[in-house]
Amino acid sequence: MNDKIRDAFDAVHADEALKQRTREYLGKTVYRRGGRRNTALRRLGPAMAAACLLLALCVGGAYLYFTPTAFISIDVNPSLELGVNCFDRIVTVEAYNEDGQALAGGLSVKNLDYREALEQILADQDVEVYMTEGILSLTVAGENEDQCAEIYQAMENCASEHRNVRCHAGSSDTIEEAHSEGMSVGKYQAYLILLELDPDTTVEQVQNMSMYEIYQLIYTYAREQGIEPPIGGWHEHSGHGYGHGDD
Amino acid sequence: MRSEEDANRAIEKYADTVRRICMVHLKNEADTEDIFQTVFLKYVLRSAPFESEEHEKAWFIRVTINACKDLLKSFFRAQMVPLDDWDGTAPEPGTEQREVLDAVLALPPKYKDVVYLHYYEGYSAAEIGRILQKNVNSVYTLMNRARHMLKKTLKGGEPD
């Protein structure tokens, strides 16, 4: 029995390939054989991971910073729009007509907090001239309702110090439509109101009108149809009296 | 940590022993390779010196048996033990050696180590007790029962 069992186990050997794989495993795992590059990579690994993380944070941060989350549309005759990021900074200034371009050219509001930007714009001499002769409409629209509510409040505070400024909260759904039509959100909202009252109104007609002219039409059509002018959400602070039916 | 030369010497010297113990416990080549890596890595990382060659060999046997048992304790391993064919390093089917080996491997697990250590490695019951951390009397009992079972299976040869 002893001999038989010994003979049986004697016939069992570890083959050369298994031994070689074990040597290679130890060489790789313990002795880093032929692994200068691997060692360097291993040492650089954490630094590379940190660099990648930093890059991702920078890219992500830059994306966050430069992406507007809300738009403040400023429409008198000049029509322009400020893009506000999630940090409440102005990151884009887009003009939608020639007067708007002229106004935007004289402003330096990028990277400013939107409150400062609004004060600066409303204090601008050219804008003051427009406000004495017409209506300045401020419209906020964006996906983030909380941010829009804060901006709306700030707009109203700012507007209370000026004549003929109306504030309005626009719908975030209309931002894309407005931009594709080449209009600011504020003016596009006014166009939609006018379109309800007069289905023949075209985008081109409205694009060439000042806000004063658009409101005048809205008010006229509403009176003709015997209804309240559907601009109740607009708050008059002084001046022409649109929305109060005493024009 | 031991040198690479020392590791290669140990692989040459103990690979067959580790392989035989793996065969007693395991049923596929992938597990055997895992055990080889585990055992020889432990050897390389072991800094304490061995008192003698016998001490070193007993260490390899104990560590290999424990590694096999640890592997078999794993839930997944316990659920999947395909009876892969052994490669060319085991006795050919149909030979007497294969018949004996099959009889040993067919024993319940608790007997196989004792049979291997006693009949092949030539350890006494007391030495087996130290390696397997079992009471000597338990080892005797296991040896006797294994002997009877093998005798019955192989139908020949007077056991020791």
Side-chain angles (χ1 to χ4, degrees):
Chain A
M1 173 72 80
N2 281 9
D3 291 344
K4 282 182 183 176
I5 293 176
R6 193 172 299 115
D7 285 349
F9 275 108
D10 251 343
V12 177
H13 299 284
D15 59 28
E16 201 48 48
L18 179 60
K19 288 195 259 184
Q20 185 55 31
R21 287 198 296 275
T22 306
R23 284 187 207 105
E24 284 169 5
Y25 169 77
L26 293 178
K28 220 167 34 182
T29 312
V30 183
Y31 302 112
R32 314 272 190 264
R33 190 173 52 226
R36 187 172 284 273
R37 201 177 61 177
N38 287 348
T39 306
L41 276 178
R42 216 185 306 274
R43 282 181 189 155
L44 279 177
M48 287 168 73
C52 287
L53 183 65
L54 191 63
L55 184 67
L57 284 174
C58 288
V59 170
Y63 177 79
L64 269 183
Y65 188 86
F66 290 108
T67 303
T69 51
F71 293 92
I72 299 173
S73 175
I74 300 163
D75 302 280
V76 201
N77 183 32
S79 184
L80 59 91
E81 204 172 72
L82 310 177
V84 183
N85 68 10
C86 60
F87 307 109
D88 293 338
R89 299 275 164 176
I90 305 296
V91 286
T92 58
V93 179
E94 188 77 31
Y96 285 95
N97 56 17
E98 279 184 22
D99 287 346
Q101 279 172 358
L103 179 62
L107 293 173
S108 177
V109 293
K110 268 203 177 176
N111 301 314
L112 280 185
D113 185 278
Y114 67 82
R115 299 168 191 88
E116 289 177 62
L118 281 173
E119 280 172 17
Q120 194 185 114
I121 291 169
L122 295 185
D124 186 277
Q125 282 188 336
D126 292 338
V127 176
E128 273 192 343
V129 171
Y130 282 117
M131 283 193 291
T132 53
E133 296 173 355
I135 296 286
L136 187 144
S137 156
L138 291 174
T139 308
V140 61
E143 294 288 343
N144 186 332
E145 286 181 12
D146 291 342
Q147 189 187 25
C148 288
E150 278 184 24
I151 293 175
Y152 184 83
Q153 191 60 48
M155 288 187 330
E156 283 218 311
N157 290 343
C158 200
S160 64
E161 297 166 15
H162 300 272
R163 288 165 52 87
N164 299 342
V165 180
R166 294 165 185 268
C167 298
H168 185 68
S171 158
S172 63
D173 301 337
T174 56
I175 295 173
E176 209 170 310
E177 288 172 38
H179 293 174
S180 67
E181 296 289 0
M183 279 198 274
S184 66
V185 177
K187 202 163 190 177
Y188 188 73
Q189 293 264 134
Y191 158 72
L192 291 179
I193 294 169
L194 188 57
L195 192 64
E196 285 269 312
L197 296 165
D198 177 16
D200 294 331
T201 309
T202 64
V203 169
E204 289 73 27
Q205 285 174 333
V206 173
Q207 271 173 335
N208 296 319
M209 293 163 75
S210 69
M211 293 305 283
Y212 178 85
E213 291 167 328
I214 297 171
Y215 291 155
Q216 204 167 32
L217 275 181
I218 290 172
Y219 191 74
T220 304
Y221 289 148
R223 270 212 335 197
E224 282 174 4
Q225 293 172 27
I227 57 171
E228 269 301 296
I231 47 176
W234 299 78
H235 301 283
E236 186 201 26
H237 293 277
S238 59
H240 293 272
Y242 284 103
H244 290 277
D246 57 354
D247 185 27
Chain B
M1 191 176 79
R2 292 171 191 278
S3 70
E4 195 166 6
E5 289 71 28
D6 201 2
N8 288 337
R9 178 199 62 81
I11 289 172
E12 279 306 316
K13 191 169 180 182
Y14 296 109
D16 287 350
T17 303
V18 174
R19 180 73 172 82
R20 288 172 190 131
I21 297 171
C22 284
M23 194 171 74
V24 168
H25 289 273
L26 308 174
K27 291 181 177 168
N28 70 63
E29 295 297 313
D31 287 351
T32 299
E33 189 159 339
D34 280 354
I35 297 297
F36 262 70
Q37 292 179 355
T38 304
V39 171
F40 287 103
L41 182 64
K42 279 187 179 175
Y43 174 76
V44 164
L45 298 177
R46 181 190 153 98
S47 50
F50 293 105
E51 294 162 13
S52 61
E53 278 200 21
E54 288 72 29
H55 181 212
E56 187 180 67
K57 183 177 181 181
W59 182 89
F60 267 101
I61 290 171
R62 193 177 65 249
V63 167
T64 306
I65 290 172
N66 288 341
C68 287
K69 286 181 175 171
D70 285 347
L71 192 73
L72 291 172
K73 267 188 232 161
S74 150
F75 173 79
F76 292 107
R77 301 280 178 182
Q79 300 303 306
M80 39 160 271
V81 276
L83 264 170
D84 287 358
D85 291 335
W86 288 102
D87 57 20
T89 59
E92 289 294 321
T95 60
E96 189 188 25
Q97 288 173 330
R98 180 59 177 252
E99 191 190 347
V100 173
L101 204 54
D102 284 344
V104 174
L105 298 183
L107 290 171
K110 61 183 175 180
Y111 299 108
K112 289 194 282 191
D113 282 330
V114 174
V115 169
Y116 170 77
L117 293 174
H118 177 68
Y119 288 103
Y120 185 73
E121 298 290 354
Y123 285 116
S124 68
E127 289 169 326
I128 294 172
R130 279 198 293 276
I131 290 172
L132 299 180
Q133 294 174 323
K134 283 182 190 292
N135 181 285
V136 181
N137 290 332
S138 302
V139 175
Y140 275 123
T141 306
L142 290 171
M143 280 166 64
N144 278 329
R145 285 182 187 165
R147 190 180 297 134
H148 286 295
M149 281 188 271
L150 284 174
K151 187 182 171 188
K152 201 172 166 186
T153 307
L154 297 172
K155 295 175 189 164
E158 196 59 33
D160 286 350

